[in-house]
Amino acid sequence: MTDRIAEPWGARTPYAAGQRWPDRVDTELAEGLDPEAVDWTQSAAVLHSNGDGIDIASHNGRIAGVRGRRADRVNHGRVDPKDLFGWQANNSPDRLTVPLVRDGGRMVESDWDTAMNRIVATTKALLRDAGPGSIGFYTSGQLMLEEYYTLGVIARAGLGTNHIDGNTRLCTATAEWALKETFGCDGQPGSYTDVDHADVIALYGHNVAETQTVLWSRMLDRLAGANPPHIICVDPRETPVAREATVHLAPVPGTNLALMNGLLHEVIAHDWVDRDYIAAHTVGYDALAACVADYPPERVAKICDVAADDLRRAAEIIGHAQRLLSTVLQGFYQSHQATAAAVAVNNLNVIRGMLGRPGAGILQMNGQPTAQNTRECGANGDLPGFRNWRNDGHVAELARLWNVDIATIPHYSEPTHAMQMLRFAEQGTLRMLWVSATNPAVSLPELRRIRHILGQTRLFLVVQDIFATETAELADVVLPAAAWGEKTGVFTNADRTVHISDKAVDPPGQARPDLDIFCDYAERMDFRDSDGAPLIAWRDPESAFQAWQRCSAGRPCDYTGLSYEKLRGGSGIQWPCNAEHPDGTERLYADGEFWSEPDYCESYGKDLITGASIEPTQYRATNPDGKAMLRPAGYTPPHERPVDDDELWLTTGRTVYHFHTRTKTGRAPQLNNAAPQVWVQLSAGDARRRGIREDDPAVIRSPRGCVQARARVGGIRDGVAFLPFHYGYWDADDDGHHRAANELTITDWDAVSKQPQFKTSVVRISRGAEEDRSGW
Amino acid sequence: MKLDLALRELHRSETSLGRRFRRVGERHQADHDVFHLCADLAGWSDDHVRRIAEAGPSHGVRLADSPPRNGRLLSSVRKMTSVALGRRPEPGLLLLADLRSVYLHVAAVSVDWELLAQGAQAAREADLLELATQCHPETLRQMDWANTMLKELAPQVLTS
């Protein structure tokens, strides 16, 4: 069998345009086990956003391996290397197995009653003394749908706080906002099956080869077959995608919007647009054309430092595509003018009429496995079911559904985003923060600041996780949670495919499913509805799912046609799935009809530059009939930028072998050995100018901190350095804070999506000895 | 004809608005979005000042094309103070007050643009109408931004 560390994408199974992607079933089992001798339980992948259907092997009460599900529409049997080996983390001896509480400054082992009662006592005291605005929840893109929905009801209808967000703010907030700005509503337009049909695949800041390896295998198989598609790659690094690209554009960080406006300029100037589609299905074309008229190739080439001819060639390929698939990820989402640039990708597809047909689509991607559920359940700065917080009718629906007074549900402003919650905590007005399944002490920007905020004694910090993360070390109460494979629930991937993940084994020790923990809290808090009945009327996953189905009814993310039973046995199913679409829906907007009608839409949108809310009356005037909206914006320079040749741009990102902050992948020997230590990548020229050679120690400094890493030379454009963001301190060799990329990153976020910028910090790099840690 | 007066007034109000944006940004450096956006939006006012100054001579007014800079010393004192106070709750109330003053200031500038546009139409001064048509929408966006921030921050500040 292929060594999947050396060859992450496995063996090729070529296919031609329009053909079915061949199956290839990948399996990994603990040594000495026979596939016939283990129990198999249906699940899906949780170490990336692709949503590959996999089965979990269990043996003697322990997880013992995985196998790809041949029947699944997403992966046709394939398994990402992280999933092939990552399951071993479940069996790790250092799992959290008992609740911990802080006593006299240190964490001690405790029990569930003590831990939960402390949380309840603190909640009640805060509600009495400071009101619901003193309590916040920061959740994840890695829990399950039932858990997010329950948490959302607790926060909004139980406590009445507006402070609930997910770490999806770091990974998918811009995807969501780009869709809301263009289509009035969240919801992935395209489908992974568009890869089977596309003649051009344009990847914008999307290193799919490392973020979604199985989807990249699908693209590689198209490239290896008859009539392969053209690949357009926009990325400052020479990624595997760039190496397969017909045109690779490597813009200077922070200039994505200028690049996109340049592409739009060419497509419009050459009239490669679908005028009938524009006339019938869109508003705003004239303003878009006027805006991008200022971005001829020569000007864009200068701003982005790319060759004007490369830009022209890319625009020509995109302009002549018959089936154009555009995909977008963190290179755009975590950069300057994130939403405006991602919206510009939508604009390109829409003016070419490339939407809703096989091969013609948009995939605004996610970074995490269940990020889509965070969005749809209202744990990512929205109300549940893609409801519009500015639409009183939508809020009234929720009040009826939950049987609470409408005034209980905060809808006086947009739900508070994570960075603002942290700011409120920094100022001392948010005094209890409940973090579930995420690790902000490594993943948020400017870590020295984050550690200070989370470590304050005046902040009561609850951490619910499967391992003692860097964040858990700062907590007042730590709750041990069940991991994937130890609980049942459903989750939805980046192309709306809903999978069920069944429980294969029991959680270790006293660890409990996150849903159990949230329900326990609700019961101890005694949250009641208007008639005195328990607010949370469910305790098990299936009844929680049914409660969510009622919430989703009639909304774009309609789950009413699904059930646990229907999700078991075959492939995942794409929402909306209801009476009208009992088998799910492969592509949205096939008929040029959108969810942007003023009374139905999820959002009235925001100004792409300032982030100011667009008023309902203004929305109604510009888009009364619910069409797609072409929203332009001009390029502005990033707030921090290099001032001389000594300074470089820093971008952060992933390696194929790790996920998030390595809590799981760092505990799988094969994955850890494949990438055990942080490194810094810089161009040959930039390395030479600093006297740095391959594998030399280097010191990377910004005004916010200092990181030490070994150098990898080449594979990136001049003027830019890259650090992987996975590495924190739980397995570091020493006590300092010189390993996490986020020691260096700037605190700045997109005005629209509020997604922090991880791609546009400024650093200085020098060849450095281990002890040299002098500052900026 | 008093269009020169309208131009002069706009030049004055846009100049002081740019200054106010900078000052508010510097005072709230620990509120990172306010800090960055205020700098960006000050740039819009600077741009308006430049355009007004360019239009001036053909209407008999000579105006400076760039606003006088804030003193560097005062500016860095403001920044340092905002960082030092960044962990206290009181600046929340101060930020609300500052955003309120920004909002009212932009509203006044917006009225000035309206007056100029009306006068320009009546006098058939196409270049001034064009100037107002270009700049006024940006003024309204500055106002929308302040309004949005006020709405977002007020609940926490006023209930904590």
Side-chain angles (χ1 to χ4, degrees):
Chain A
M1 190 182 147
T2 322
D3 173 1
R4 293 293 301 283
I5 295 296
E7 294 175 56
W9 309 292
R12 293 282 57 77
T13 51
Y15 70 124
Q19 286 182 350
R20 187 181 182 279
W21 188 28
D23 299 340
R24 186 196 85 195
V25 176
D26 301 337
T27 309
E28 178 75 20
L29 272 179
E31 215 172 316
L33 281 184
D34 188 299
E36 305 294 318
V38 297
D39 293 323
W40 292 101
T41 305
Q42 182 174 349
S43 182
V46 287
L47 294 174
H48 46 81
S49 67
N50 211 50
D52 305 326
I54 56 181
D55 289 325
I56 303 171
S58 57
H59 186 67
N60 290 338
R62 283 162 68 87
I63 292 184
V66 291
R67 179 177 66 193
R69 288 180 62 80
R70 186 188 295 274
D72 201 273
R73 61 174 300 280
V74 171
N75 55 322
H76 295 213
R78 288 162 190 77
V79 181
D80 180 292
K82 284 185 286 295
D83 302 308
L84 270 187
F85 305 114
W87 54 268
Q88 297 165 97
N90 275 51
N91 301 328
S92 186
D94 59 346
R95 283 285 299 274
L96 284 171
T97 55
V98 287
L100 309 173
V101 296
R102 188 167 293 279
D103 262 331
R106 59 187 198 91
M107 297 306 284
V108 295
E109 293 199 350
S110 182
D111 55 77
W112 278 102
D113 269 342
T114 308
M116 293 306 289
N117 287 343
R118 277 200 192 189
I119 299 172
V120 168
T122 305
T123 308
K124 286 186 171 167
L126 283 173
L127 284 177
R128 190 184 58 231
D129 302 338
S134 60
I135 300 168
F137 295 90
Y138 184 51
T139 186
S140 179
Q142 298 165 39
L143 293 183
M144 304 215 174
L145 181 154
E146 296 82 352
E147 293 159 347
Y148 297 132
Y149 181 61
T150 304
L151 183 62
V153 180
I154 287 173
R156 295 207 163 82
L159 295 168
T161 177
N162 207 22
H163 306 325
I164 172 166
D165 201 7
N167 66 6
T168 42
R169 189 62 67 178
L170 319 179
C171 90
T172 192
T174 302
E176 173 184 341
W177 269 100
L179 296 170
K180 288 199 274 204
E181 291 280 14
T182 303
F183 304 112
C185 189
D186 195 356
Q188 187 70 281
S191 168
Y192 289 167
T193 49
D194 288 332
V195 172
D196 307 345
H197 304 278
D199 65 345
V200 176
I201 304 177
L203 301 101
Y204 299 97
H206 181 205
N207 183 11
V208 62
E210 300 203 63
T211 58
Q212 292 148 291
T213 62
V214 170
L215 189 61
W216 179 236
S217 293
R218 199 170 191 145
M219 294 180 190
L220 283 175
D221 287 346
R222 275 293 317 277
L223 290 170
N227 0 83
H230 285 294
I231 302 280
I232 307 288
C233 172
V234 178
D235 199 309
R237 294 200 294 153
E238 287 157 33
T239 59
V241 179
R243 288 194 284 275
E244 299 291 340
T246 311
V247 182
H248 173 206
L249 298 165
V252 169
T255 65
N256 291 329
L257 181 59
L259 186 95
M260 291 312 303
N261 282 347
L263 292 174
L264 284 160
H265 174 277
E266 286 298 280
V267 166
I268 289 174
H270 290 91
D271 203 23
W272 293 322
V273 300
D274 184 337
R275 294 200 166 271
D276 293 340
Y277 191 91
I278 292 168
H281 303 296
T282 73
V283 295
Y285 179 74
D286 291 342
L288 175 70
C291 172
V292 302
D294 290 339
Y295 293 85
E298 289 72 20
R299 179 179 174 221
V300 172
K302 205 169 283 176
I303 296 172
C304 304
D305 190 25
V306 298
D309 282 346
D310 288 348
L311 190 77
R312 286 196 191 91
R313 174 95 177 101
E316 194 182 344
I317 290 170
I318 289 166
H320 287 98
Q322 300 295 306
R323 293 165 187 271
L324 170 66
L325 173 62
S326 299
T327 77
V328 195
L329 196 63
Q330 310 307 1
F332 273 41
Y333 298 164
Q334 295 177 341
S335 191
H336 179 61
Q337 298 194 288
T339 306
V343 162
V345 176
N346 292 344
N347 290 342
L348 205 42
N349 270 64
V350 170
I351 65 171
R352 293 229 56 235
M354 293 288 168
L355 209 59
R357 319 182 253 118
I362 298 167
L363 292 168
Q364 298 279 359
M365 289 293 185
N366 302 341
Q368 296 180 87
T370 74
Q372 180 55 49
N373 306 111
T374 319
R375 277 150 63 171
E376 62 206 23
C377 294
N380 187 49
D382 310 280
L383 293 182
F386 296 161
R387 284 179 175 82
N388 188 343
W389 66 266
R390 300 198 74 177
N391 184 332
D392 283 347
H394 287 193
V395 185
E397 282 173 17
L398 290 176
R400 272 197 302 277
L401 183 72
W402 298 335
N403 190 22
V404 295
D405 182 357
I406 190 170
T408 314
I409 305 169
H411 58 288
Y412 34 75
S413 70
E414 188 172 312
T416 316
H417 64 93
M419 299 303 288
Q420 187 64 54
M421 257 195 260
L422 268 286
R423 177 68 187 132
F424 289 153
E426 185 175 34
Q427 290 188 307
T429 64
L430 190 146
R431 290 162 56 188
M432 169 173 153
L433 183 65
W434 188 329
V435 176
S436 45
T438 188
N439 192 9
V442 178
S443 55
L444 286 179
E446 200 177 347
L447 288 181
R448 191 164 49 182
R449 171 173 178 264
I450 300 302
R451 277 190 297 271
H452 169 81
I453 295 171
L454 298 179
Q456 298 173 101
T457 47
R458 66 180 173 183
L459 177 72
F460 184 76
L461 180 66
V462 179
V463 172
Q464 177 173 325
D465 213 308
I466 63 173
F467 289 107
T469 61
E470 292 83 347
T471 307
E473 282 179 21
L474 303 168
D476 296 283
V477 173
V478 176
L479 304 174
W484 159 88
E486 298 163 358
K487 60 181 181 180
T488 292
V490 309
F491 54 87
T492 307
N493 78 346
D495 86 336
R496 292 174 282 105
T497 306
V498 185
H499 286 107
I500 191 160
S501 178
D502 271 317
K503 177 179 165 176
V505 298
D506 285 326
Q510 298 176 38
R512 293 164 72 185
D514 299 85
L515 179 64
D516 254 27
I517 300 172
F518 293 144
C519 288
D520 184 358
Y521 174 68
E523 199 173 296
R524 286 175 199 260
M525 286 296 300
D526 199 26
F527 293 129
R528 299 275 164 173
D529 69 11
S530 296
D531 295 323
L535 176 69
I536 308 293
W538 53 89
R539 276 311 290 254
D540 62 285
E542 191 157 8
S543 54
F545 182 75
Q546 286 158 357
W548 160 250
Q549 284 183 298
R550 288 191 289 280
C551 180
S552 75
R555 293 303 297 165
C557 49
D558 195 330
Y559 280 65
T560 50
L562 291 169
S563 66
Y564 275 22
E565 192 188 346
K566 193 166 171 176
L567 289 167
R568 285 189 178 119
S571 168
I573 299 170
Q574 289 171 288
W575 65 246
C577 179
N578 49 22
E580 198 185 334
H581 306 282
D583 301 317
T585 309
E586 190 167 22
R587 292 178 186 85
L588 303 183
Y589 312 142
D591 46 8
E593 301 283 315
F594 304 96
W595 289 318
S596 54
E597 197 271 318
D599 291 324
Y600 191 74
C601 70
E602 183 184 10
S603 170
Y604 300 125
K606 295 180 189 173
D607 186 313
L608 285 176
I609 298 290
T610 67
S613 296
I614 294 171
E615 291 299 310
T617 46
Q618 199 183 340
Y619 184 90
R620 214 171 269 281
T622 49
N623 193 19
D625 303 320
K627 299 189 174 186
M629 294 162 279
L630 297 164
R631 294 191 197 269
Y635 162 76
T636 62
H639 298 125
E640 178 174 286
R641 44 190 186 275
V643 294
D644 57 36
D645 288 346
D646 198 29
E647 297 184 354
L648 297 172
W649 288 106
L650 174 73
T651 78
T652 71
R654 290 189 189 180
T655 160
V656 68
Y657 303 111
H658 287 299
F659 181 59
H660 209 235
T661 59
R662 286 170 65 251
T663 44
K664 281 180 165 182
T665 52
R667 289 175 168 93
Q670 296 89 339
L671 300 172
N672 190 49
N673 294 341
Q677 272 301 340
V678 64
W679 73 91
V680 60
Q681 182 181 16
L682 66 177
S683 77
D686 287 330
R688 196 173 49 244
R689 280 185 283 280
R690 288 163 181 76
I692 296 174
R693 281 173 302 189
E694 183 76 15
D695 209 36
D696 275 353
V699 182
I700 307 102
R701 295 184 181 85
S702 88
R704 295 159 289 271
C706 160
V707 166
Q708 294 183 319
R710 295 273 166 180
R712 289 189 189 174
V713 176
I716 189 166
R717 60 156 294 142
D718 282 337
V720 185
F722 169 85
L723 271 177
F725 63 65
H726 308 289
Y727 299 87
Y729 301 103
W730 63 268
D731 63 339
D733 298 331
D734 58 35
D735 295 334
H737 289 114
H738 303 285
R739 196 183 189 210
N742 281 318
E743 302 294 345
L744 307 170
T745 43
I746 186 173
T747 301
D748 191 7
W749 54 83
D750 182 59
V752 177
S753 68
K754 317 297 182 190
Q755 185 156 352
Q757 294 179 18
F758 295 101
K759 309 289 191 191
T760 52
S761 302
V762 172
V763 293
R764 289 179 196 151
I765 301 183
S766 54
R767 192 175 180 284
E770 297 296 321
E771 60 275 9
D772 178 11
R773 288 169 178 177
S774 44
W776 180 236
Chain B
M1 197 67 94
K2 299 176 189 66
L3 278 170
D4 57 330
L5 283 181
L7 269 179
R8 231 180 253 287
E9 174 56 22
L10 252 178
H11 185 268
R12 190 197 60 76
S13 63
E14 282 279 21
T15 302
S16 60
L17 178 61
R19 202 181 299 135
R20 186 184 293 271
F21 266 118
R22 281 209 176 75
R23 206 165 54 217
V24 169
E26 286 160 2
R27 274 187 359 183
H28 300 282
Q29 204 171 7
D31 286 280
H32 296 79
D33 51 348
V34 174
F35 173 65
H36 289 305
L37 250 304
C38 277
D40 291 349
L41 297 180
W44 292 11
S45 286
D46 292 351
D47 182 49
H48 294 177
V49 168
R50 200 160 32 245
R51 291 188 194 201
I52 295 164
E54 277 167 20
S58 44
H59 300 276
V61 256
R62 282 185 44 168
L63 300 160
D65 64 356
S66 65
R69 286 278 145 185
N70 288 325
R72 287 179 67 102
L73 180 67
L74 264 180
S75 157
S76 41
V77 167
R78 270 195 293 270
K79 284 186 190 174
M80 273 167 3
T81 316
S82 74
V83 172
L85 291 177
R87 289 161 188 171
R88 297 189 51 83
E90 293 83 356
L93 205 53
L94 181 64
L95 175 56
L96 222 49
D98 277 343
L99 287 169
R100 178 177 175 278
S101 71
V102 164
Y103 180 87
L104 294 173
H105 195 150
V106 188
V109 175
S110 171
V111 171
D112 289 345
W113 280 116
E114 255 169 35
L115 294 178
L116 182 76
Q118 293 298 95
Q121 284 189 73
R124 298 186 193 171
E125 297 283 2
D127 65 323
L128 293 184
L129 183 60
E130 174 63 16
L131 177 71
T133 310
Q134 294 286 323
C135 298
H136 192 204
E138 291 189 335
T139 307
L140 293 173
R141 289 167 71 191
Q142 289 173 322
M143 191 153 65
D144 288 344
W145 172 80
N147 188 34
T148 298
M149 292 306 294
L150 279 165
K151 281 185 178 162
E152 276 180 24
L153 296 172
Q156 187 77 4
V157 173
L158 297 178
T159 63
S160 63

